[in-house]
Amino acid sequence: GENVEQHPSTLSVQEGDSAVIKCTYSDSASNYFPWYKQELGKRPQLIIDIRSNVGEKKDQRIAVTLNKTAKHFSLHITETQPEDSAVYFCAARDNYGQNFVFGPGTRLSVLP
Amino acid sequence: EPEVTQTPSHQVTQMGQEVILRCVPISNHLYFYWYRQILGQKVEFLVSFYNNEISEKSEIFDDQFSVERPDGSNFTLKIRSTKLEDSAMYFCASIHTFMNTEAFFGQGTRLTVV
């Protein structure tokens, strides 16, 4: 089955700097890669996603890149703000079912 | 905006007792999921459900767990005989169709087994 790894596990950046979180996946048939943000005590919420027919997608300060050959995808947050502080999870959809496999998460702290 | 709702928000139960966690998915969604998140850890897949039957389940989802959609709106997770290690946040999620793949999560039920 699919295995998703995520790095780093914790990341601290100064407000205004950029943050990059990287994920790798194992199943070359996976074709959908969402990123979720989870604030303390709250539900995961989708912030951006990318499908395998696209190499990059951007939404304001957030972008995701996908390298299918290398089986990795990354989340880029520019001009970070304190409210970006949260745990971020990447995920990959197993193409043989409807299951989403999540990475272990990255705790992002944006320091004012 | 439609959302997935879960009840209760917090449940405390004695070890060995049965618990039922309830979820109301978004009304026109067809695929339903339960996930578990032990405090501070990753979100772990338990089971997916489509067309009134289990589509997939993980190795966590053993004989102590069951799911059902009894009335076309609720989607329940039952744990027959709870263990201490079942203490976690349980999230329900739903998806409209397989191709429309954004998963919407409920706010979670925190289960504490004592």
Side-chain angles (χ1 to χ4, degrees), chain A residues 32 36 38 42-44 46 51 89 93 97-100 102-104, chain B residues 4 33 35 37 42 45 55-56 91 95 98 101-103 105-107:
Chain A
Y32 175 67
Y36 284 84
Q38 186 179 30
K42 296 189 176 179
R43 74 188 81 187
L46 182 75
R51 289 172 173 79
F89 293 96
R93 188 187 72 186
Q98 302 102 31
N99 176 24
F100 289 82
F102 284 81
Chain B
V4 177
Y33 302 79
Y35 286 86
Q37 186 178 32
K42 69 188 285 186
F45 169 74
S55 301
E56 281 188 79
F91 290 103
I95 290 177
F98 185 52
T101 44
E102 177 177 353
F105 283 80
Q107 80 278 23

Side-chain angles (χ1 to χ4, degrees), chain A residues 17-72:
Chain A
D17 288 351
S18 295
V20 180
I21 302 170
K22 298 181 179 180
C23 286
T24 60
Y25 61 99
S26 61
D27 187 348
S28 57
S30 289
N31 60 8
Y32 175 67
F33 308 94
W35 284 90
Y36 284 84
K37 176 183 180 183
Q38 186 179 30
E39 296 176 358
L40 189 63
K42 296 189 176 179
R43 74 188 81 187
Q45 292 200 298
L46 182 75
I47 55 171
I48 197 167
D49 56 14
I50 192 167
R51 289 172 173 79
S52 59
N53 58 346
V54 174
E56 183 174 357
K57 184 176 177 181
K58 192 172 181 181
D59 181 5
Q60 299 183 337
R61 296 186 297 109
I62 295 173
V64 57
T65 58
L66 171 65
N67 183 327
K68 281 190 63 179
T69 303
K71 289 189 283 188
H72 66 70

